[in-house]
């Protein structure tokens, strides 16, 4: 990996672990932080926020994307996910779909508090994605 990518990951790591400490996860006790890097180098963080009505909870990755879009960012290069899990964890299926809307070429990094790391592309994680271009209707016969 290039030194530039390393520096980028340091800032993303810091933002993701800081967000992880703010996670609200009283039900799963699985705290997650995510940091999303936009094409201008801006970083947007999110954490999981659970709810007593369990299905109402939202993941860290979608929280980060919500913060980014609300701030006007639309193009992203990398997301870094931080957890305290035993192994690096990839984003869930819902988050993969949410991420691909804005970032089909996203790099996905997952790190653990104990130094574990895994990397994928979003295309690896969500092949044959349903993307906005596919919404086009075919012309009338
Ligand atoms: N979670 C995330 O925030 N991101 C992931 O990548 C995996 C799962 C959250 C959802 C729920 O609050 C808890 O982790 C357990 O699934």
């Amino acid at each position: 990996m290039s030194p530039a990518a390393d520096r980028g990951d340091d800032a993303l790591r810091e933002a993701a672990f800081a967000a992880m400490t703010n996670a609200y996860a009283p039900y799963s006790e699985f705290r997650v932080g995510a940091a999303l890097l936009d094409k201008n180098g801006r970083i947007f963080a999110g954490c999981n926020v659970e709810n007593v009505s369990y299905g109402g909870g939202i993941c860290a990755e979608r929280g980060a994307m919500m913060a980014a879009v609300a701030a006007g960012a639309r193009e992203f290069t990398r997301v870094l996910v931080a957890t305290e899990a035993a192994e690096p964890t990839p984003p869930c299926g819902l988050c993969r779909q949410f991420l691909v809307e804005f970032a089909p070429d996203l790099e996905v990094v997952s790190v653990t508090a104990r130094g574990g790391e895994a990397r994928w592309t979003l295309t690896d994680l969500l092949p044959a994605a349903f993307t906005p271009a596919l919404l086009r209707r075919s012309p009338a016969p």
Side-chain angles (χ1 to χ4, degrees):
M1 192 202 323
S2 73
D6 276 334
R7 273 200 301 281
D9 276 5
D10 285 348
L12 286 173
R13 251 172 219 274
E14 198 177 317
F17 278 112
M20 189 194 80
T21 66
N22 291 326
Y24 176 72
Y27 309 108
S28 72
E29 296 185 352
F30 188 77
R31 301 192 302 165
V32 186
L36 191 58
L37 181 66
D38 88 341
K39 66 163 189 193
N40 298 316
R42 290 195 293 171
I43 291 174
F44 301 92
C47 62
N48 55 331
V49 180
E50 297 183 347
N51 191 272
V52 64
S53 177
Y54 295 169
I58 188 160
C59 294
E61 295 90 327
R62 276 177 285 157
M65 183 64 90
M66 294 293 287
V69 173
R74 287 281 174 91
E75 292 179 71
F76 307 96
T77 57
R78 188 177 302 160
V79 67
L80 186 144
V81 180
T83 71
E84 300 162 305
E87 302 291 334
T89 55
C92 78
L94 282 171
C95 287
R96 295 177 196 194
Q97 182 66 39
F98 207 78
L99 292 165
V100 81
E101 181 82 12
F102 294 104
D105 300 318
L106 196 69
E107 298 169 5
V108 180
V109 185
S110 180
V111 299
T112 69
R114 290 184 155 215
E117 180 179 299
R119 288 173 183 270
W120 306 269
T121 64
L122 188 53
T123 310
D124 291 334
L125 297 176
L126 191 64
F130 181 52
T131 56
L134 296 173
L135 268 191
R136 278 197 322 253
R137 291 164 154 234
S138 63

